[in-house]
Amino acid sequence: WATATNTVFAGEWVRVGVVQNYSAHTWSLYINGTQKLSGLGFKDNAIGSLGRIHLRSGTGGEVYCDDVGIIGQ
């Protein structure tokens, strides 16, 4: 696991972006357009496409989502 510190604070709306490279089996995390983590490995390198999205709070609190979209390249 990797931790991106000081990225999301309680009560704030943020734009979360994930860029996945299926050839290299890596992904990057963006918060409000700023790259916070990169070169992260896939949990399973056999994955070749996005199958689902799972969002959760690191503290067990509520998570609200609005305007969710998936953009293919």
Side-chain angles (χ1 to χ4, degrees):
W1 294 101
T3 302
T5 59
N6 299 320
T7 55
V8 179
F9 300 98
E12 275 187 9
W13 282 97
V14 296
R15 179 174 294 254
V16 177
V18 174
V19 176
Q20 296 181 302
N21 181 330
Y22 292 103
S23 298
H25 300 105
T26 60
W27 63 281
S28 300
L29 173 69
Y30 291 80
I31 302 292
N32 292 328
T34 301
Q35 187 179 61
K36 295 294 184 175
L37 298 171
S38 65
L40 301 168
F42 283 15
K43 180 179 178 182
D44 179 354
N45 285 340
I47 295 173
S49 65
L50 180 65
R52 65 182 165 182
I53 297 173
H54 179 103
L55 303 172
R56 66 183 182 125
S57 166
T59 61
E62 296 176 322
V63 175
Y64 297 96
C65 297
D66 183 27
D67 197 18
V68 176
I70 298 172
I71 301 168
Q73 293 188 10

